[in-house]
Amino acid sequence: MAHSSREWNLRGIQQRVMLIVLLGILASTTAFGWVAWQALDDWTARVLQDRGVHTGVVATHVETVVQREWQRLQEVASAPWTATDDDAGTRMVEPPAILRAALLRAELMERIYVTDGAGRIRWQEPAKPDMTGQTVPDARRAIAAGRPSASQLEDTPGGPRVYLFVTIQSWTGETIGLVAGEIDPSSSRFPVLLRPHQVPPGGSLDVVDQNGAVLGSTDASRVGLDAAHRAFLVQSIADGRASAGTCRTCHDDRRRAVETVMAFTPTRQPRWGVYLQEPEGASLAHVHALRRTLLWLGPLIFVLGIGYAYGAGQSVLRPIRVLTKAAQRIETGDVDEPIPPLGTDELGRLGQSLERMRAALARSFAEIEEANTTLEHRVLDRTRELQRLYGQLAEREEARSRLLRQVITAQEDERKRLARELHDETSQTISALAMRLETALKQLPAGVDGTPINDARVLAVRTLDELHRLIYDLRPAVLDDLGLWPAIQWYAERMLKSRGVAVRCEFADVDRRLPSLVETALFRAVQEAISNIAKHAEADQALIQGTIRNATLTIEIEDDGKGFDPTTIRRPSDLGHGWGLLGITERVEALGGTVTIDSAPDQGARLVFSVPLPREDAHG
């Protein structure tokens, strides 16, 4: 029995809500859609029909005015003075006053020309400016047509112009010239065609030629431009087809898509057309009025539908509201407030399930919050420990750099001391020994073999040369006297050229001296690199480049030797491999710089030293 009751409650909820809401919405939507559909279709059809009639009337008026203009030109072309016959054949003669009379009666034409058979102007009215001998645009086509015609919109020095043509024929039927009437679309005469016709704001009524160019418009700024939907208009003129419709691809001044009402009627002769476009707000005012009616009628019907569903839905909405608010609280993380009992039906059971979920979430949130607090304390402790270790590491790195700089300085000082002692003591002693052996050799009695003494003297001289080389290796004087760049070039030529390696040094700046520590450390690094080329590279060519740019000194050393795999010498071996590159890296890093090694077996090697310089020592 309880199961049957629950089943009935479920069907009752579904029947009450679905039946009443669906009937209300279906009735209101059907009435609303039917009225809107019928009204919009009816008014749109009437508007389009009216605009088509409008453009047809204007097109007829345009044809009539142009026909009258052609008649005036025909009167000029048919005058008996236009041609005579003599021994030289048919020719043009001086025109009488009919030319001026035709211009005075013209409605559109600003000027009339009489041309010869090649289209060259013979006479004109008014006479100034004198254009005699010039060719009227499109005259050759008009002569070939042999009937009254009109040109397209032509660009002339005076601005856009349109020409009406009538051929002049002799008594034998031969075309001997043209009478051309010039129309200025921007003058005050041409808008007379459209002046009686009112166009709503934002719209325009245009007369377009066979190429879609605007000859005249109720909007003077459009004259000479291409009409909207130009390709469609050109095809309609060619087909002689009138049309009316709407377009939703047009745009207003803010580039927003708007609906535009359009109508077009072509003229038979000339091949022009009348094009009307109006914004929907003006053309479809009645449609908008109906829409406004529907805007208040629709909410009214919707409110009635809500009223229909309200009575039967209250028994369902109350527990749903309670569950919705509870779900929203849970969504925001508020799981403290319990959900009240909602009965024993489906919604009541849903509420009980949601209450159990809320209680489980509350317990989970408490556990997560406790775990987060513990984790945050651990992270904070680890962060502090890492900061302390980073600080110690930075201090040790700084101490290591200072110690390395001190070691380098101490090494150079010891090298200087040794070089000075070797030069001042050992070198002097060996020089004196060589001189004494030379003297002893000269003082030997005749017939005594002096070969042993001479061999000792040669050995002393050779020892002195080796001692001088050792002194230069310990501390090249050129480094102290001339600076880093000359010292690098001197050492490279001394070490590499003697081994058959072609070396080229390119330095962008060799004038300014660098700090002694910088010069010494970089020289020793370059010295080690050059020694590696001489001992291991088996190279034919080497290139050493040096630049100072943006407060950074860069030295590049490149050779075409057998190269090596940099990954195999990352750590120095017991056999001695890698110690040279380690010394180079330590010396450059002691200056705050970096070393880049680019090499591969049989691909040569390239070392790049980059060292930052103090601003007072940086230039270039």
Side-chain angles (χ1 to χ4, degrees):
M1 185 68 180
H3 176 73
S4 176
S5 177
R6 289 197 300 270
E7 205 172 281
W8 169 251
N9 288 336
L10 177 60
R11 289 200 298 270
I13 291 174
Q14 290 178 343
Q15 289 172 352
R16 289 196 301 270
V17 175
M18 296 296 294
L19 181 61
I20 296 175
V21 172
L22 285 178
L23 286 176
I25 294 177
L26 181 61
S28 60
T29 302
T30 301
F32 186 85
W34 186 83
V35 173
W37 188 270
Q38 294 297 321
L40 289 176
D41 281 352
D42 182 56
W43 283 112
T44 300
R46 292 185 182 182
V47 168
L48 295 179
Q49 182 180 6
D50 178 69
R51 296 307 181 267
V53 172
H54 189 180
T55 56
V57 171
V58 177
T60 301
H61 176 64
V62 170
E63 286 183 354
T64 302
V65 173
V66 173
Q67 289 293 337
R68 289 200 297 264
E69 295 293 84
W70 267 329
Q71 290 176 4
R72 295 182 181 96
L73 296 178
Q74 188 63 51
E75 292 173 0
V76 177
S78 302
W81 47 265
T82 55
T84 186
D85 213 17
D86 56 14
D87 295 338
T90 303
R91 62 184 181 83
M92 304 282 298
V93 298
E94 189 71 20
I98 192 172
L99 195 61
R100 180 179 297 274
L103 182 61
L104 292 176
R105 291 187 295 113
E107 299 177 58
L108 299 178
M109 297 181 293
E110 301 284 339
R111 184 182 297 271
I112 297 179
Y113 303 100
V114 177
T115 75
D116 58 14
R120 292 186 295 270
I121 298 173
R122 296 289 301 275
W123 298 282
Q124 65 182 52
E125 182 63 36
K128 293 183 179 181
D130 187 8
M131 301 177 66
T132 302
Q134 300 184 22
T135 302
V136 176
D138 209 21
R140 295 183 182 274
R141 183 198 59 78
I143 293 173
R147 54 182 173 79
S149 60
S151 72
Q152 62 185 7
L153 189 65
E154 301 284 351
D155 289 329
T156 69
R161 296 291 187 270
V162 179
Y163 297 91
L164 301 179
F165 299 109
V166 173
T167 59
I168 303 174
Q169 296 182 344
S170 66
W171 65 274
T172 60
E174 176 188 3
T175 299
I176 60 173
L178 283 176
V179 179
E182 182 181 270
I183 300 175
D184 182 1
S186 62
S187 71
S188 59
R189 291 190 175 190
F190 201 86
V192 173
L193 290 173
L194 308 174
R195 186 169 298 163
H197 306 280
Q198 299 297 325
V199 179
S204 64
L205 181 63
D206 304 336
V207 177
V208 300
D209 67 4
Q210 61 269 35
N211 292 326
V214 178
L215 302 178
S217 175
T218 54
D219 182 0
S221 63
R222 295 174 54 80
V223 175
L225 303 178
D226 286 341
H229 306 281
R230 175 176 173 270
F232 171 75
L233 298 182
V234 171
Q235 187 62 42
S236 296
I237 293 174
D239 298 341
R241 182 181 68 252
S243 60
T246 59
C247 173
R248 290 189 178 273
T249 61
C250 299
H251 298 81
D252 60 8
D253 294 338
R254 298 182 181 178
R255 305 302 301 165
R256 298 176 302 183
V258 296
E259 183 179 17
T260 302
V261 174
M262 304 181 303
F264 178 75
T265 301
T267 60
R268 291 170 295 177
Q269 188 65 13
R271 300 301 295 273
W272 294 350
V274 177
Y275 176 52
L276 172 68
Q277 57 179 351
E278 299 176 357
E280 62 172 349
S283 301
L284 302 177
H286 294 85
V287 176
H288 291 319
L290 178 58
R291 287 176 178 171
R292 287 192 295 270
T293 301
L294 295 176
L295 285 177
W296 65 261
L297 182 59
L300 177 60
I301 296 175
F302 181 72
V303 170
L304 292 176
I306 293 177
Y308 295 148
Y310 179 78
Q314 279 300 305
S315 60
V316 178
L317 293 178
R318 187 189 66 81
I320 288 178
R321 292 193 188 99
V322 174
L323 293 177
T324 300
K325 291 181 179 179
Q328 290 174 345
R329 290 197 305 272
I330 294 174
E331 181 184 11
T332 59
D334 182 7
V335 294
D336 297 330
E337 183 177 349
I339 301 174
L342 299 175
T344 59
D345 59 5
E346 291 80 1
L347 292 177
R349 292 196 298 273
L350 177 61
Q352 294 173 6
S353 300
L354 191 61
E355 170 60 20
R356 289 192 294 271
M357 182 184 69
R358 181 204 64 79
L361 285 175
R363 291 191 298 271
S364 298
F365 286 167
E367 295 173 358
I368 291 173
E369 184 175 359
E370 182 179 358
N372 285 339
T373 302
T374 304
L375 182 60
E376 287 178 358
H377 288 306
R378 292 181 180 178
V379 170
L380 183 60
D381 293 340
R382 292 293 179 88
T383 301
R384 291 172 179 170
E385 180 66 18
L386 286 176
Q387 290 177 346
R388 184 181 65 79
L389 293 177
Y390 286 154
Q392 292 180 356
L393 182 61
E395 292 176 358
R396 291 180 181 180
E397 183 64 24
E398 178 63 24
R400 188 186 74 84
S401 297
R402 288 198 302 269
L403 179 61
L404 185 57
R405 288 195 293 269
Q406 291 175 359
V407 169
I408 292 174
T409 302
Q411 288 178 348
E412 294 303 321
D413 290 342
E414 184 64 18
R415 287 172 181 267
K416 288 182 181 180
R417 187 186 67 77
L418 291 175
R420 185 167 52 253
E421 289 182 359
L422 289 175
H423 181 274
D424 295 342
E425 298 178 5
T426 308
S427 177
Q428 297 296 332
T429 300
I430 295 177
S431 296
L433 176 62
M435 293 176 62
R436 288 179 177 270
L437 290 174
E438 179 71 24
T439 301
L441 183 62
K442 292 180 179 180
Q443 293 178 353
L444 284 177
V448 177
D449 186 11
T451 300
I453 297 176
N454 185 60
D455 291 342
R457 181 187 64 79
V458 172
L459 179 61
V461 171
R462 185 182 304 116
T463 302
L464 184 61
D465 292 339
E466 291 294 328
L467 183 60
H468 286 164
R469 183 188 61 78
L470 179 61
I471 291 172
Y472 276 116
D473 288 341
L474 286 173
R475 184 66 182 181
V478 67
L479 179 62
D480 295 328
D481 297 339
L482 301 179
L484 175 64
W485 309 117
I488 292 175
Q489 184 168 2
W490 167 79
Y491 190 80
E493 293 177 351
R494 178 170 171 267
M495 288 295 293
L496 298 179
K497 283 190 175 181
S498 61
R499 289 172 171 79
V501 180
V503 61
R504 186 171 81 254
C505 297
E506 298 178 356
F507 304 128
D509 191 344
V510 296
D511 297 332
R512 190 169 183 176
R513 294 295 298 269
L514 302 174
S516 177
L517 178 62
V518 175
E519 289 189 341
T520 301
L522 289 177
F523 176 76
R524 293 305 178 191
V526 174
Q527 185 180 34
E528 182 64 34
I530 293 175
S531 297
N532 287 340
I533 294 175
K535 295 176 183 178
H536 309 296
E538 299 179 7
D540 295 325
Q541 297 183 9
L543 173 64
I544 304 175
Q545 296 177 305
T547 58
I548 299 177
R549 182 175 300 170
N550 298 329
T552 300
L553 183 147
T554 303
I555 298 177
E556 298 183 22
I557 304 172
E558 186 174 359
D559 68 78
D560 61 351
K562 62 182 182 180
F564 57 92
D565 184 1
T567 60
T568 62
I569 56 172
R570 291 186 181 275
R571 295 181 177 274
S573 65
D574 296 336
L575 299 177
H577 299 298
W579 288 103
L581 291 177
L582 178 61
I584 291 174
T585 303
E586 288 185 343
R587 290 177 184 275
V588 174
E589 290 180 351
L591 301 176
T594 58
V595 177
T596 302
I597 302 175
D598 182 12
S599 181
D602 300 324
Q603 299 295 324
R606 178 173 175 267
L607 275 68
V608 181
F609 310 154
S610 296
V611 177
L613 297 177
R615 280 293 175 182
E616 59 271 13
D617 298 315
H619 59 287

